[in-house]
Amino acid sequence: GAGVSQTPSNKVTEKGKYVELRCDPISGHTALYWYRQSLGQGPEFLIYFQGTGAADDSGLPNDRFFAVRPEGSVSTLKIQRTERGDSAVYLCASSLTAGMNTEAFFGQGTRLTVV
Amino acid sequence: QKEVEQDPGPLSVPEGAIVSLNCTYSNSAFQYFMWYRQYSRKGPELLMYTYSSGNKEDGRFTAQVDKSSKYISLFIRDSQPSDSATYLCAMGAYAGNNRKLIWGLGTSLAVNP
């Protein structure tokens, strides 16, 4: 595909359930980022992958959040025991490298609603 | 106090006006400064990128960074209705493995025909 693809586009789940959010980056992009954007806020950094490894996971809010990128391409963000406060748009971005002047391209996001 | 402050607006201007958008920040380690545009229910898209202090121009857009004042600006000349969107500033220190961008709230802009 031409851009970053995120699925599902919308997800409604009950409090306490487990969810997985998927990100397909642009082919060949080695760096991948997850952000969370709440209504009326700017994106908040969660985690950054360089290849298969999480180079910086300092933004994950607690141990209910986990992300993987096992083959250095697709990434999955996993949230256990969801809480209403987890409701937000989860954005994924990828860039060709992790270089400081390399543009990151964002997907349209997954809108997660915890009821 | 947030690391990055941005007035959320909304800002409403007539077509053809010059628009000025601003952010202030507190972390002197920030070296990389970006402006993103975000349409409703879409991901942000990069408009302008600046390293350290100075000006950068691209078509109708000019980005300015004043590190001594910890203040960045985006100017849009000859604004068009298609410029109606939320504009977000983002910045980072990018030291070592740090690729974390810190974002402003975003300013909602409406350009009226």
Side-chain angles (χ1 to χ4, degrees):
Chain A
V4 177
S5 175
Q6 291 188 247
T7 53
S9 54
N10 284 282
K11 175 72 177 177
V12 181
T13 191
E14 291 181 349
K15 179 175 177 293
K17 298 289 189 184
Y18 167 83
V19 296
E20 290 190 351
L21 312 179
R22 177 186 168 106
C23 174
D24 281 84
I26 293 172
S27 178
H29 280 197
T30 62
L32 185 145
Y33 312 81
W34 282 99
Y35 284 85
R36 175 169 72 173
Q37 188 173 24
S38 300
L39 191 64
Q41 304 290 316
E44 172 193 6
F45 172 83
L46 296 177
I47 187 170
Y48 142 64
F49 287 89
Q50 177 57 45
T52 60
D56 182 356
D57 64 358
S58 62
L60 294 176
N62 52 58
D63 62 5
R64 295 187 298 106
F65 289 75
F66 189 70
V68 296
R69 195 186 185 200
E71 297 178 357
S73 177
V74 171
S75 177
T76 305
L77 178 66
K78 308 180 181 196
I79 311 174
Q80 298 177 321
R81 304 183 304 281
T82 51
E83 299 177 358
R84 292 196 178 88
D86 298 335
S87 297
V89 176
Y90 288 81
L91 293 164
C92 176
S94 71
S95 60
L96 188 59
T97 71
M100 299 164 193
N101 60 351
T102 306
E103 181 177 355
F105 295 86
F106 282 81
Q108 295 196 133
T110 293
R111 185 173 300 272
L112 176 67
T113 304
V114 181
V115 297
Chain B
Q1 184 190 5
K2 290 189 173 187
E3 275 191 287
V4 177
E5 300 276 2
Q6 182 177 10
D7 186 339
L11 191 59
S12 182
V13 301
E15 184 175 353
I18 296 175
V19 177
S20 171
L21 304 166
N22 312 291
C23 289
T24 59
Y25 64 96
S26 57
N27 189 342
S28 57
F30 289 152
Q31 296 275 11
Y32 299 88
F33 304 91
M34 294 91 164
W35 285 96
Y36 284 81
R37 177 174 62 195
Q38 186 173 26
Y39 292 110
S40 180
R41 295 189 172 261
K42 301 285 188 183
E45 56 179 329
L46 182 66
L47 277 178
M48 301 287 285
Y49 165 88
T50 310
Y51 170 69
S52 195
S53 284
N55 293 358
K56 188 171 185 179
E57 187 173 321
D58 184 1
R60 297 185 295 111
F61 298 90
T62 300
Q64 291 184 348
V65 174
D66 181 347
K67 290 192 69 182
S68 62
S69 302
K70 297 189 177 69
Y71 186 89
I72 70 171
S73 301
L74 177 71
F75 297 95
I76 307 174
R77 289 182 298 282
D78 187 26
S79 55
Q80 303 295 309
S82 58
D83 295 329
S84 298
T86 296
Y87 289 80
L88 297 133
C89 63
M91 49 198 80
Y94 279 29
N97 273 334
N98 183 353
R99 295 294 179 271
K100 182 186 303 186
L101 286 178
I102 308 300
W103 298 69
L105 290 178
T107 300
S108 176
L109 171 67
V111 181
N112 305 304

